[in-house]
Amino acid sequence: MTDGSMNKSHAYIISSQDAAVRENTALELAQAMVCDRGGAEACGVCAQCRRALAGVHPDIIFIDRLTDDKGKRRREIYVDQIRGMSADVWVRPQQSDRKVYIIREANLLNQAAQNAALKILEEPPAYAVFILCVNSAEELLPTVRSRCVEIRESGTVCRAENKEAEELVDTAVSGDAAALCEYCWKCETLDSEKSAELIESCRAYLSGAICRGASSGVSRGEAVRLLGVFDIAAEYLRMNVGAKHVWGYISVSAI
Ligand SMILES: [Zn+2]
């Protein structure tokens, strides 16, 4: 359970009803990923950040609907575009250590395009990151969703829905392995349903932190990392892995 058998850290779904939130979150995540400082937040001053902010970073690539001969936007994102992306991804990044693809209207990927995307989401090169922006993750095929960490912006205030979730996240962020073990050990007494609720609250809290950045008290980079852990934990529960094992997984993975 502690190995990397489930690795989702290269693909993200940003779901929000608000297009500006989706766009900003995607750009800020991409910037943090190409930043030279490699910290939890983009530094905002290095050459990579400046290029990203100016919208001219060669390793941040947007996949959008094409326009037809008459300059009209096509209705879908076609499979050929995704095949193009899948070929391009094997060309190493030019200026940073990462190559980030942002699909701004991933809900407009038709079924063939989603199936093509699935192949590259399953086995991408280590430097590749994919960010899929949607109104709601339900707009994507379950197979695609299962390969991605979902950052769900609910539009509500960035507070954990319950105190426990906030405490659990804070303990993980503190880096105190013993404290986290103790916390997870207490959680092992929860049944699967209660565990799923708590993990869901942590995911909501972390999603809020990612969308709002530094103002949330948890850095964006930390929140992304932890969201990946809780996302996998939630999936284990859905696969009927016992709650005790899932808390064991969190205790060793969230530090
Ligand atoms: Zn930077």
Side-chain angles (χ1 to χ4, degrees), residues 35-36 43-44 46 49:
C35 173
D36 272 339
C43 73
C46 73
C49 280

Side-chain angles (χ1 to χ4, degrees), residues 4-19:
S5 58
M6 223 186 254
N7 182 3
K8 300 177 164 204
S9 58
H10 60 268
Y12 300 90
I13 292 170
I14 298 175
S15 63
S16 169
Q17 299 296 322
D18 185 332

Side-chain angles (χ1 to χ4, degrees), residues 31-32 34-39 41-50:
Q31 188 188 338
V34 298
C35 173
D36 272 339
R37 307 273 168 98
E41 295 283 347
C43 73
V45 294
C46 73
Q48 312 289 354
C49 280
R50 289 206 308 272

Side-chain angles (χ1 to χ4, degrees), residues 24-213:
N24 289 341
T25 305
L27 284 173
E28 281 165 3
L29 254 188
Q31 188 188 338
M33 282 165 181
V34 298
C35 173
D36 272 339
R37 307 273 168 98
E41 295 283 347
C43 73
V45 294
C46 73
Q48 312 289 354
C49 280
R50 289 206 308 272
R51 282 190 201 102
L53 286 168
V56 295
H57 201 296
D59 301 320
I60 298 177
I61 299 140
F62 291 92
I63 308 289
D64 285 309
R65 278 183 287 163
L66 300 173
T67 46
D68 64 18
D69 306 342
K70 300 185 183 99
K72 212 173 139 215
R73 285 242 177 185
R74 290 182 188 272
R75 280 166 52 191
E76 293 181 323
I77 298 173
Y78 293 102
V79 65
D80 283 348
Q81 293 178 260
I82 299 305
R83 289 199 188 114
M85 176 185 84
S86 304
D88 180 71
V89 76
W90 294 101
V91 180
R92 295 193 65 85
Q94 294 180 41
Q95 286 172 353
S96 75
D97 297 333
R98 289 284 181 78
K99 197 164 179 180
V100 186
Y101 292 86
I102 299 175
I103 306 180
R104 265 195 276 236
E105 300 172 294
N107 53 306
L108 299 181
L109 289 164
N110 65 27
Q111 185 144 350
Q114 288 197 51
N115 283 324
L118 194 57
K119 283 193 196 124
I120 193 69
L121 291 177
E122 270 165 2
E123 280 184 88
Y127 51 74
V129 178
F130 302 91
I131 301 176
L132 284 64
C133 301
V134 289
N135 279 307
S136 152
E138 277 75 36
E139 295 170 319
L140 297 168
L141 295 175
T143 42
V144 171
R145 290 168 59 187
S146 73
R147 304 306 304 177
C148 303
V149 173
E150 188 189 346
I151 300 165
R152 192 185 316 132
E153 153 62 30
S154 59
T156 52
V157 184
C158 177
R159 300 290 300 173
E161 281 162 31
N162 67 49
K163 201 91 201 109
E164 263 184 322
E166 202 172 327
E167 244 175 65
L168 175 51
V169 168
D170 288 347
T171 308
V173 169
S174 75
D176 184 340
L180 181 66
C181 267
E182 197 175 329
Y183 204 100
C184 290
W185 183 67
K186 270 196 309 196
C187 291
E188 281 180 13
T189 57
L190 300 174
D191 62 20
S192 291
E193 202 179 320
K194 286 263 175 298
S195 296
E197 272 172 29
L198 179 51
I199 288 168
E200 198 44 48
S201 296
C202 291
R203 290 168 80 199
Y205 181 42
L206 290 163
S207 289
I210 295 165
C211 294
R212 287 172 186 78

